[in-house]
Amino acid sequence: MNVLIARSKEECSSWTDAVVVIDVLRGATTACALLERGKRDVLLFNDAQQADAFLAHHADFEAFSDEPLSSAHADNSPYLASKSVARQPGLLLASTGCKAVWDVRRASVVLLGGFCNFYALAETLTSQPKDVLLIPAAMFGPGNEEEDLLCAEAFKDFIQGVGTPEIALGEFGNTMRMVEFHKNGPKTAEKDSRLAFKINGLPVVPQVTFAEDGAFAVCHPYGSPAHWLEVVKPAARQAPAAALAEAPAQRASVPEETPAQESAPTEGEAGTSLKSLFGGLAKSVKEEALSLKEKAAEAAADPKAVEAKSKLKGFFSDIVRSVKEEKKELEESLFQGAPRQSSEERSYTLNSDDPFDALMKQSSASADAPAQEAVSPAKPAASRQENSAREEAVQLAAPQAPQPVESVTLPGEVTFSGKSAGFEETKKKKKAIVLFSGGLDSTTCLYWALEHGYECEALTVSYGQRHDREVLAAQMIARNLGVKHHLITLNLPWLVSSSLVDKNQQIPDVALEDIPKEGIPSTYVPGRNLMFLSIAGSLLDAIGADAIIAGPNAIDFSGYPDCTPAFFKAAADALNRGTKMGVTEGIEVLAPLMRLSKTQIVQLAAKLKVPFELTWSCYAGGQKPCGHCDSCKLRAKGFEEAGVRDTSLD
């Protein structure tokens, strides 16, 4: 999955994968508040006249709008929405947010988000199999609403493992936007901002489903059906304005099958028939109930009163059950559904410009006390780590050499990407350069890439390390897999500053619990991953590959600065700007192991059938691993905790 940020309205209108419309202070947070309040679903309108026409016939709807309406309504306020009546249906007209929503009607999935549902939305996005476009709603409004863009960037960074929402809120606190909103915004501005900036305070993910003609949409919790849309769908297909005005207020599920013996009546005829029928039934039931109640009152003094009450209760239960069953049968025979038209597939052309290059930050005064309360984090770091480490089952395709497995748990996969949405459609087989040292991590990455359908070429760099055991291991594994192997030799004399190169230096022997507390160790090779990625980018450009796959890890590691998510994100940005493939098609830099512990890496490798006996991780070389270097200790820890035997020690 690639996460991109929209740079123009044209990109939004042509996008066909999943989208998230981010309207932090108003629309998205208001929608979350309405759904979190308990409303089954909320109708969205992009036109004030259509909203008025609907409300004229549906006075039971609570309306929230930041545009003038002739009908009774409240402001588009998250705070007011949080105080709404749970069982009363809702309607929302958000001028900026709805414009953005209507512009992405081609998208396969449309979600709404902000800081208020940050972690819930991030978890939903990681489950999406397709690319995701983040759309700051401010693009469709006249104001400078910096919070939308900051939130979009925070989502992207968080999913890629290089940032938190607190960082984005800190940046927002350095702008004048919050002060201006409190000063010139609605009366509920301070209370609205408290809800909008309470991280994951409204943990619901609104999904938007459009009527077929686009006259209105239904906002409902992600994964649940749009109940109200099913009621008005047939009539809305014939006459949108009239259908909405006359649509029944009661919601029901409408089957898609049409009876074969006769053509089904229209929605208007069916609605009138049902209304008449159930009106008569209701009247009959009320009359019978009144008669029975009178008789029960007369018999109140009778010793058999208790028995009469029991029979009365059973009678009404049977009547209600009978009415419901008959109503369901009539709906199934009278109404007919229609299949939704599939969206037209269209490729997306990547713009290589950084979305934050044009962001101008204003000097500002500090926000007042309510603003400070608004940006206080609502979720501890431990919970965030737990969310980021949530296990995700990945269905694997069988490669040529490794044995197929059922699934792989990979909670820590990170993709730093400039790949366009049309990537999957334009190429049947993806080609990747795998940085391959012959160690446990890089071998796991190679097997992972093959299982995920990549056509791989392995790249090993010999930079003068004190032994060649890893290089020999890489050659043997690549040969066994039938993978093309590139071996590049560098002669850079200054690399002797590292104890991995200079044999006269002693390799550190640090206690496991102190790794990497001792700081950057002497085994750090200056700019090693920077060189590796540059060489891999050159090879990728020469052969027309699509991705670079590497095995850095930021959990159980020695503290090398070029193994962090921030470094790989910056390197991926540079590769997408400085290579032909990057600027024309976009490339991916994948780090499947970035957020995995060594234990999880061993578990993944075991499921992928990695030949542990062929891999080499020890810094010292020799016939057997030394057991004292950082690499040996972290590897041993991973195998022990995973309960897997390390066959390289046999």
Side-chain angles (χ1 to χ4, degrees), residues 448-459:
W448 177 89
L450 292 171
E451 290 286 359
H452 279 71
Y454 285 93
E455 177 186 344
C456 296
E457 294 193 14
L459 173 63

Side-chain angles (χ1 to χ4, degrees), residues 418-429:
K419 182 66 64 179
S420 67
F423 169 62
E424 297 288 348
E425 301 171 1
T426 56
K427 293 199 174 185
K428 295 181 180 179
K429 185 80 170 179

Side-chain angles (χ1 to χ4, degrees), residues 220-299:
H220 54 98
Y222 176 74
S224 67
H227 302 281
W228 216 92
L229 183 63
E230 295 297 328
V231 175
V232 300
K233 180 167 38 175
R237 193 167 56 245
Q238 297 174 9
L244 286 173
E246 299 297 333
Q250 185 176 3
R251 305 169 192 167
S253 163
V254 182
E256 294 292 328
E257 294 186 6
T258 301
Q261 58 269 26
E262 294 182 2
S263 60
T266 64
E267 168 92 17
E269 294 171 351
T272 302
S273 300
L274 280 178
K275 185 175 181 181
S276 176
L277 173 61
F278 292 125
L281 283 173
K283 183 178 180 181
S284 176
V285 169
K286 287 180 179 179
E287 291 174 351
E288 188 71 22
L290 181 60
S291 175
L292 286 170
K293 285 181 180 179
E294 290 175 352
K295 292 179 180 179
E298 294 175 358

Side-chain angles (χ1 to χ4, degrees), residues 66 108 114 139 220 283 332 359 630 647:
D66 52 21
S108 59
M139 294 173 56
H220 54 98
K283 183 178 180 181
E332 291 175 350
L359 179 64
D630 286 5
T647 53

Side-chain angles (χ1 to χ4, degrees), residues 1 23 48 251 291 315 329 373 402 420 488 632 638:
M1 178 194 71
D23 188 6
R251 305 169 192 167
S291 175
F315 172 82
E329 291 175 1
E373 180 182 349
S420 67
I488 307 300
C632 280

Side-chain angles (χ1 to χ4, degrees), residues 558-581:
S558 297
Y560 299 155
D562 57 355
C563 286
T564 62
F567 167 77
F568 270 80
K569 179 178 183 294
D573 290 341
L575 288 166
N576 271 289
R577 291 171 179 267
T579 60
K580 178 181 177 181
M581 289 294 294

